[in-house]
């Protein structure tokens, strides 16, 4: 680790000369000392740093003011395009904040400062840039923009899920009530900027990398899993619309044109699985809240869920394509702005895999402390009628339980499901058991 004397020396040089280069050197020395705290990959299990970063009181007295001023300057210049050195400084500032928040006693103070809003503003600009499809984008190096976005989302995770509850869940580790009660430090209050930011990121996002979309879904799950109060602020009609749309796109086998995916019909789509995990957390958080605290009712979430479970992607796409043709005729054959989804090459396999995982997620929703109440909500949401409709669109043969898919494709659900869970029953019957 770099000596404290060296950090002090460089900081004094910065304070004396006010040269941003000395600030960069100070940040680089500090970051290199706590490199292992930069745990920005959502797909990796939560790790515990060997040595915690210092508390804020042990840092230079005016460090937060200096960083806020530098970050504000980067935000003001970002709309016109940051130079390489300014982009590097912005990333260093972000890394510093992530590291500081790994000492959980710092989270509350950092969360109440204006850093998060400045960072969300910059991230919004970068994502708009990454969503566009222009010749300039194709020729330019987007690696710095992508790196900033990934670190920005990881910083938000540090604020809103400091104990990495979401990562534990996605890695199959179930945290009990006793473990949660021992979590001493609270998550920072959720900024009001998050919901519009999250919603805007998924608007006209067909050219945004799938990996970045997964990071956004990870962040939403982290916010919901990290704190009940923040969860109820994040679970809104706008965010639920995003999750349903993402799940619907997955059912059609669509993916980013820049990241063509070699679809394995037996493997679940990662984006779909993350969305289902988010919805599981949403239902359980809403279940623990009173009606006056909820912006969205569980019944409305289930209504959209069952509608998608029993949907016909081919019919939906055909209908929307017909509507687009009519709209183009009315607009004198000008291209409509709304994106019309198209069926992917392996959409049938994707849709069946999605349905299997949707049924599996329903069972996971019932792994909660107030199961009888959730059973009643499912029954009042006509779950049996929806499952009966799913059965009507299926058939039983001597080989097992099959699902009819448009085009005559048949998939053996019982084999697929049993290979995943080791159960001898079909997912439908297991869900019915949960609801009774």
């Amino acid at each position: 680790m770099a000596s404290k004397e060296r950090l002090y020396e460089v900081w004094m040089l910065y304070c004396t000369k006010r040269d941003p280069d000395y600030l960069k050197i100070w940040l680089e020395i500090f970051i290199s000392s706590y490199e292992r705290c930069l745990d920005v990959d959502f797909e990796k299990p939560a790790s515990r740093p060997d040595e915690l970063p210092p508390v804020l009181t042990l840092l230079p007295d005016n460090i937060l003011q200096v960083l806020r001023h530098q970050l504000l300057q980067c935000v003001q210049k970002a709309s016109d395009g940051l130079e390489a050195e300014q982009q590097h400084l912005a990333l260093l500032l972000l890394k510093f904040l992530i590291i500081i928040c790994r000492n959980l006693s710092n989270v509350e103070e950092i969360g109440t400062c204006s850093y998060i809003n400045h960072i969300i503003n910059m991230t919004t600009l970068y994502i708009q840039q990454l969503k566009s499809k222009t010749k300039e984008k194709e020729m330019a190096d987007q690696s710095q923009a992508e790196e900033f976005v990934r670190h920005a989302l990881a910083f938000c995770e540090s604020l809103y899920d400091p104990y990495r509850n979401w990562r534990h869940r996605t890695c199959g580790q179930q945290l009990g009530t006793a473990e949660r009660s021992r979590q001493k430090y609270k998550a920072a209050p959720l900024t009001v900027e998050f919901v519009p930011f999250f919603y805007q990121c998924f608007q006209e996002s067909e050219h945004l990398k799938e990996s970045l979309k997964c990071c956004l879904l990870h962040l939403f799950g982290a916010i919901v899993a990290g704190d009940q109060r923040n969860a109820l602020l994040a679970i809104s009609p706008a965010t639920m619309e995003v999750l349903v749309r993402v799940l619907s796109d997955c059912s059609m086998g669509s993916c980013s044109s820049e990241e063509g995916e070699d679809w394995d019909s037996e493997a679940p789509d990662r984006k779909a699985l993350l969305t289902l995990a988010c919805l599981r957390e949403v239902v359980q958080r809403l279940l623990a809240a009173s009606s006056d605290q909820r912006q969205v009712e569980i019944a409305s979430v289930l209504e959209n869920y069952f509608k998608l479970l029993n949907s016909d992607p081919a019919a939906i796409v055909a209908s929307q394509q017909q509507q687009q043709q009519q709209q183009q005729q009315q607009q004198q054959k000008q291209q409509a702005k709304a994106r019309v989804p198209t069926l992917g090459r392996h959409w049938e396999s994707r849709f069946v895999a999605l349905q299997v995982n949707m049924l599996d997620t329903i069972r996971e929703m019932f792994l909660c402390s107030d199961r009888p109440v959730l059973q009643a909500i499912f029954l009042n949401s006509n779950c049996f009628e929806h499952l009966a409709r799913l059965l009507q669109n299926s058939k039983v043969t001597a080989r097992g339980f099959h699902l009819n898919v448009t085009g005559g494709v048949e998939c053996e659900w019982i084999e697929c499901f049993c290979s995943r869970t080791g159960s001898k029953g079909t997912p439908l019957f297991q869900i019915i058991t949960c609801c009774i």
Side-chain angles (χ1 to χ4, degrees), residues 38 138 223 285 292 375 405 407:
L38 286 174
E138 294 173 356
I223 291 172
R285 284 299 194 183
D292 61 322
Q375 287 174 327
V405 184

Side-chain angles (χ1 to χ4, degrees), residues 7 11 23-24 26-32 34 37-38 53-56 58-60 62-68 88-103 106 110 115 119 151 155 158:
L7 283 170
W11 184 258
L23 177 61
K24 291 178 185 177
W26 188 91
L27 289 170
E28 288 170 350
I29 295 173
F30 185 90
I31 291 168
S32 65
Y34 298 98
C37 294
L38 286 174
V55 295
L56 291 173
L58 297 180
L59 294 173
N62 59 338
I63 181 68
L64 295 184
Q65 294 177 349
V66 170
L67 297 184
R68 187 184 300 113
H88 179 59
L89 175 59
L91 185 59
L92 288 176
L93 294 170
L94 193 49
K95 287 181 177 181
F96 172 82
L97 292 172
I98 293 173
I99 289 172
I100 285 299
C101 287
R102 293 303 289 139
N103 187 322
N106 296 328
I110 296 296
Y115 299 114
I119 288 170
H151 280 80
F155 171 59
S158 300

Side-chain angles (χ1 to χ4, degrees), residues 257-302:
S257 59
E258 297 179 7
E259 289 185 297
E261 187 177 349
D262 184 14
W263 170 252
D264 179 359
S265 62
E266 296 181 1
D269 179 79
R270 184 59 181 159
K271 191 152 49 84
L273 284 182
L274 287 174
T275 306
L276 290 174
C278 287
L279 289 171
R280 177 199 64 213
E281 294 290 329
V282 163
V283 168
Q284 293 180 349
R285 284 299 194 183
L286 291 177
L287 187 64
S290 59
S291 58
D292 61 322
Q293 294 176 312
R294 298 191 290 258
Q295 300 183 64
V296 177
E297 294 298 327
I298 297 177
S300 66
V301 175
L302 296 180

Side-chain angles (χ1 to χ4, degrees), residues 319-334:
S319 174
Q320 292 187 354
Q321 287 176 342
Q322 183 178 4
Q323 291 178 3
Q324 187 190 41
Q325 290 176 356
Q326 294 174 353
Q327 186 177 11
Q328 286 177 340
Q329 291 175 357
Q330 293 174 357
Q331 296 179 351
Q332 297 178 353
K333 298 184 179 181
Q334 292 181 355

Side-chain angles (χ1 to χ4, degrees), residues 94-164:
L94 193 49
K95 287 181 177 181
F96 172 82
L97 292 172
I98 293 173
I99 289 172
I100 285 299
C101 287
R102 293 303 289 139
N103 187 322
L104 303 189
S105 63
N106 296 328
V107 167
E108 183 177 3
E109 185 170 353
I110 296 296
T112 54
C113 296
S114 57
Y115 299 114
I116 182 61
N117 291 334
H118 293 331
I119 288 170
I120 283 182
N121 288 338
M122 282 193 67
T123 307
T124 301
L125 292 172
Y126 277 127
I127 287 183
Q128 288 297 115
Q129 174 183 326
L130 294 169
K131 286 196 301 184
S132 65
K133 185 174 177 60
T134 61
K135 291 183 179 180
E136 290 78 7
K137 176 189 172 182
E138 294 173 356
M139 296 177 63
D141 181 11
Q142 300 295 319
S143 58
Q144 282 190 312
E146 289 180 22
E147 187 178 12
F148 184 91
V149 170
R150 293 180 193 279
H151 280 80
L153 299 181
F155 171 59
C156 293
E157 180 200 27
S158 300
L159 290 179
Y160 303 130
D161 188 16
Y163 287 95
R164 303 294 199 263

Side-chain angles (χ1 to χ4, degrees), residues 205-247:
S205 61
E206 54 267 32
H207 300 301
L208 185 65
K209 282 189 174 181
E210 298 295 291
S211 58
L212 291 178
K213 292 179 184 178
C214 286
C215 289
L216 287 161
L217 293 170
H218 270 299
L219 175 57
F220 180 83
I223 291 172
V224 175
D227 179 75
Q228 175 73 5
R229 174 194 53 193
N230 287 342
L232 296 176
L233 293 173
I235 301 170
S236 67
T239 54
M240 290 303 97
E241 179 187 327
V242 169
L243 296 185
V244 171
R245 192 189 319 129
V246 170
L247 211 53

